[in-house]
Amino acid sequence: MMKDQYGYEVSGGSAEAVMLYDQAIGAFNLYRGDPVGLLDQAASAAPGFAMAHIARAHMFATTSEPGALVQARSLVDTALDLRLTERERSHVEALQRLFAGEWSGAALLLDRHNARYPHDLLALQVGHLIDFFRGNARNLRDRIARVLPAWSEDIPGYSILLGMYAFGLEECGEYRRAEDTGRRAVGLQPFDCWAHHAVSHVMEMQGRAEDGIGWMIAREPYWSGDDNAFKVHNWWHRALFHLHLGQYDAALALYDGSVREGRSALALDLVDAASLLWRLSLSGVDVGNRWLEVADAWEQHADGMTYAFNDWHAVMAWLGAGRSRNVDELISLLRRSAAAESESSRWIRDVGLPLIEGFRAFWHDDYQATLDSLLRVRHIANAFGGSHAQRDVIDWTLAEAAIRAGDDELATALVNERLAQKPHSSINMEFLSRTRRSTAGQPPVALLRGAPR
């Protein structure tokens, strides 16, 4: 039986197919090139090659897109008709749990899988992504920590492991170790955009906006190429740094250029687009009709069943575009999905619906309802996914709602909380100025930073 580059047996493969498979996993590790195309070639070269189908299923399933999930299920059905090794069957079982909406169940199966197969980098990366989608900071870190002693620099993909570990360390608040590990990872593999983004997260969480912009500019040739599937997210990070410095024109220019110039229809990129427009709007920037294009793109993804984190961002876009009907229809779908017993249904019930209702209330100037919804869920919002940086829009919206509601005590408390983490952020300093004016009985300052372009 043939073996992959890590020495694991793969059923139904040929020398050509396994070579293509190894290349595909390398491309997936870096989020560069066309890993799915390489796996298609591998499956054509050896139709009975199970891992070509299983790896494609993993890649589709971790896009968090309804259409891709349908393709993933079909690929697993194909794999189940083939002769599978025990390791390959373990991959399939994890995918089946994911299809059932049991994200943590899939993650747990992959925990056990990598305890037995510590060099299965595909399983490690997919497990890491699932940990991200379910907002499990500890396992983002510890999934990698459990296998690191079995790895060394002479094993292909070691730098990828370090990049994932850096992100897990950052999400656990271990910022110094995260930055050191991320820098080491990109030193070994400069094109590792996940490791690069882990260091960006450190700088975001520490409020080091100038350092963040410098980091992005210095390494731009490595993470911004056309063949990089993660480049929009890294541009989003750079835009956040500009926002923290009060450079709203620069952030808007990045939106118009690198974030949306390609009109990507990927859910990952649409999340970035919607959340950046929401932040710009909170900052008083008139974004004009930019909402319309993003709102159109969300219609193929927001189904009220697949991933509530995405649905929440679709609602941001639809609110901005004035599409109340879309929002109402999605809320109805979410309420039906919330009645089920899967983990994804619990995410909808406990976090997704309260967040969406709170953001809808904010957009319609019902700030007290916003406070009631967001205060209830902000400390458990990690349960339905995303990073600390992505979920910061909840606390940002909450602070803005408290100021606009005239709740001076709550507004002061929330602003103090934000300043403790990022004392030099222009956004937070402006919050402070506005709360001081309010508590002194002075009229609020209108936020309007220019006409749309």
Side-chain angles (χ1 to χ4, degrees):
M1 188 175 287
M2 301 291 297
K3 293 183 179 181
D4 67 13
Q5 63 180 324
Y6 295 104
Y8 293 124
E9 292 185 341
V10 291
S11 59
S14 65
E16 179 188 3
V18 173
M19 178 189 69
L20 289 165
Y21 170 81
D22 287 337
Q23 291 174 2
I25 300 306
F28 181 53
N29 294 157
L30 296 174
Y31 301 102
R32 296 184 79 227
D34 184 11
V36 172
L38 288 166
L39 290 171
D40 287 342
Q41 294 177 46
S44 295
F49 182 20
M51 282 307 299
H53 304 292
I54 291 168
R56 278 187 295 170
H58 277 309
M59 292 176 193
F60 286 133
T62 52
T63 65
S64 72
E65 298 178 2
L69 205 59
V70 172
Q71 292 177 278
R73 288 191 177 99
S74 177
L75 287 162
V76 165
D77 289 342
T78 299
L80 285 170
D81 288 335
L82 302 175
R83 178 188 174 191
L84 302 177
T85 67
E86 186 173 351
R87 184 179 70 93
E88 291 163 349
R89 190 163 295 279
S90 176
H91 273 283
V92 168
E93 288 172 0
L95 280 160
Q96 290 173 324
R97 294 297 290 273
L98 196 59
F99 299 155
E102 296 295 340
W103 294 73
S104 291
L108 181 60
L109 285 175
L110 289 171
D111 287 345
R112 298 295 295 266
H113 178 102
N114 280 121
R116 186 166 192 179
Y117 308 108
H119 296 127
D120 191 338
L121 188 55
L122 173 64
L124 285 166
Q125 186 172 350
V126 168
H128 188 71
L129 288 171
I130 292 173
D131 291 336
F132 169 77
F133 284 125
R134 65 197 184 108
N136 191 313
R138 177 175 173 179
N139 218 43
L140 279 166
R141 178 193 66 189
D142 292 349
R143 177 181 301 279
I144 309 304
R146 287 191 289 270
V147 301
L148 261 177
W151 286 70
S152 62
E153 284 192 24
D154 60 343
I155 299 175
Y158 176 70
S159 64
I160 304 302
L161 210 65
L162 291 181
M164 290 189 285
Y165 193 41
F167 184 63
L169 288 166
E170 178 277 321
E171 288 295 287
C172 287
E174 298 184 51
Y175 298 132
R176 178 172 292 183
R177 289 181 66 201
E179 183 168 349
D180 289 346
T181 305
R183 287 180 180 274
R184 183 183 176 200
V186 298
L188 293 170
Q189 172 48 272
F191 288 100
D192 186 350
C193 59
W194 189 262
H196 169 89
H197 124 281
V199 176
S200 301
H201 270 267
V202 170
M203 294 171 178
E204 168 68 22
M205 297 307 296
Q206 292 183 322
R208 295 161 52 196
E210 294 93 343
D211 288 348
I213 292 172
W215 172 251
M216 304 302 287
I217 291 173
R219 305 198 67 262
E220 185 175 324
Y222 297 110
W223 58 260
S224 65
D226 288 342
D227 65 343
N228 191 316
F230 211 62
K231 62 181 182 295
V232 168
H233 189 66
N234 276 317
W235 282 117
W236 176 83
H237 272 284
R238 179 169 167 184
L240 291 191
F241 292 133
H242 287 291
L243 284 179
H244 285 301
L245 293 173
Q247 298 170 355
Y248 304 104
D249 285 347
L252 191 62
L254 284 172
Y255 179 89
D256 288 335
S258 302
V259 173
R260 284 312 291 164
E261 65 182 352
R263 296 296 189 264
S264 169
L266 295 176
L268 171 67
D269 296 340
L270 292 173
V271 163
D272 291 336
S275 67
L276 182 53
L277 284 182
W278 188 272
R279 285 167 167 86
L280 284 162
S281 296
L282 288 180
S283 300
V285 177
D286 183 351
V287 301
N289 62 5
R290 291 173 175 85
W291 285 114
L292 300 178
E293 177 267 323
V294 182
D296 286 342
W298 266 118
E299 292 190 12
Q300 65 179 301
H301 297 304
D303 65 349
M305 295 183 296
T306 303
Y307 190 48
F309 185 87
N310 288 353
D311 294 335
W312 169 45
H313 284 81
V315 165
M316 294 183 206
W318 287 339
L319 288 170
R323 298 185 182 177
S324 296
R325 182 176 177 179
N326 291 76
V327 175
D328 292 343
E329 289 175 350
L330 179 59
I331 288 176
S332 295
L333 289 171
L334 287 164
R335 285 175 177 161
R336 287 201 290 271
S337 297
E341 291 303 319
S342 68
E343 182 178 29
S344 57
S345 296
R346 292 193 295 275
W347 291 351
I348 293 169
R349 185 168 59 247
D350 297 342
V351 182
L353 276 168
L355 274 181
I356 287 170
E357 289 166 351
F359 272 54
R360 178 173 65 170
F362 179 89
W363 201 257
H364 294 298
D365 302 332
D366 189 348
Y367 302 122
Q368 188 56 54
T370 303
L371 298 177
D372 292 342
S373 292
L374 301 191
L375 284 170
R376 182 157 53 95
V377 298
R378 70 178 184 127
H379 289 306
I380 61 169
N382 64 295
F384 89 140
S387 66
H388 296 308
Q390 288 176 307
R391 294 188 303 269
D392 180 58
V393 73
I394 301 169
D395 292 307
W396 190 340
T397 304
L398 182 62
E400 185 64 38
I403 292 171
R404 295 188 190 185
D407 191 334
D408 295 340
E409 292 178 349
L410 178 60
T412 299
L414 292 171
V415 171
N416 287 342
E417 176 185 293
R418 293 186 66 82
L419 284 165
Q421 297 300 314
K422 297 177 183 177
H424 305 296
S425 166
S426 174
I427 298 157
N428 295 341
M429 292 300 293
E430 190 163 85
F431 275 146
L432 179 63
S433 174
R434 291 167 66 206
T435 55
R436 285 176 173 171
R437 287 180 62 87
S438 181
T439 55
Q442 299 176 20
V445 177
L447 290 179
L448 186 61
R449 305 192 192 278
R453 288 184 261 177

